Amino acid sequence: MRHLEPLLGGFTAKMAIQTASLRTLKRPPEQVGLQDLPQLLEGLKPMLNTFIGALHTKVILTEFSTAMEKLR
């Protein structure tokens, strides 16, 4: 969520993650683990495309994926 706040604002970032988590993973964000992040990011993609555009979304999701790889 911290990474999305500068792009979407605090409330919208929180709602985007909550919505994607419930739709994609069928559980609240509090129950999402590191292994679930690729699916969560894929679920965020349509919403981010709408809010910040497809090109910017692609860049952001690539950055997230790279950061996730470093965490593993």
Side-chain angles (χ1 to χ4, degrees):
M1 189 171 73
R2 286 180 276 132
H3 298 288
L4 292 177
E5 282 180 0
L7 299 169
L8 304 175
F11 180 78
T12 305
K14 181 179 178 181
M15 290 294 101
I17 290 174
Q18 184 173 355
T19 301
S21 177
L22 291 172
R23 280 189 184 163
T24 306
L25 303 170
K26 308 293 189 239
R27 56 184 186 266
E30 298 81 26
Q31 296 178 0
V32 173
L34 187 59
Q35 71 279 3
D36 300 315
L37 288 180
Q39 288 175 292
L40 180 63
L41 292 177
E42 194 61 34
L44 279 169
K45 194 175 193 177
M47 198 176 319
L48 291 176
N49 281 338
T50 300
F51 287 139
I52 63 175
L55 181 60
H56 202 62
T57 296
K58 185 176 181 178
V59 170
I60 294 299
L61 293 180
T62 301
E63 289 174 2
F64 286 164
S65 296
T66 302
M68 283 188 323
E69 289 299 320
K70 291 179 182 178
L71 291 174
R72 292 180 189 207

